[in-house]
Amino acid sequence: MKYLIIITIHLYWFLIPKSKRKKCIFRKSCSTYVYEKTSINGFSMGIKAFRFRYKNCRHGFEIFKNPIDDSIQVILPNGQIIGELEIAKRLIKLK
């Protein structure tokens, strides 16, 4: 079953040029993240990774500068906070 996800992602990469893909708020693109999770950990982890990214890589996030250490962070729609190393570089430049 994991090969179904992997083949679907390969088709996505092949058929949709990078310029036409939605921009991810994470540094590692959603398709790459799901591909890696599926390849390493199998189908069920791939589905969990897809659900997490689908729910959190869209509108509803908030970028802020942490007043304690001046780092840029993002609050995801599920309330989780991610740091600069996980945030897309294009969003860090906005702050």
Side-chain angles (χ1 to χ4, degrees):
M1 286 298 286
K2 83 176 189 177
Y3 295 108
L4 179 65
I5 296 174
I6 291 171
I7 290 168
T8 303
I9 293 171
H10 275 285
L11 282 172
Y12 170 72
W13 289 337
F14 180 74
L15 295 174
I16 301 176
K18 280 190 174 186
S19 61
K20 300 288 183 186
R21 298 178 196 163
K22 290 186 177 185
K23 303 295 182 212
C24 189
I25 66 169
F26 295 95
R27 189 160 297 191
K28 187 181 291 188
S29 74
C30 293
S31 60
T32 302
Y33 177 76
V34 172
Y35 180 84
E36 288 177 1
K37 287 290 188 183
T38 304
S39 297
I40 295 167
N41 301 317
F43 179 77
S44 62
M45 284 303 291
I47 293 296
K48 287 180 184 178
F50 174 76
R51 287 182 61 215
F52 173 79
R53 285 295 181 99
Y54 183 77
K55 290 180 180 178
N56 290 294
C57 189
R58 44 185 32 199
H59 64 279
F61 66 91
E62 184 177 337
I63 303 171
F64 70 97
K65 190 171 194 173
N66 187 325
I68 296 171
D69 61 4
D70 286 333
S71 65
I72 305 295
Q73 296 179 324
V74 169
I75 300 176
L76 300 175
N78 71 354
Q80 183 179 349
I81 298 174
I82 61 172
E84 283 186 46
L85 296 178
E86 296 180 68
I87 303 169
K89 290 180 182 180
R90 66 182 173 79
L91 294 177
I92 293 174
K93 291 177 183 177
L94 294 176
K95 268 304 198 186

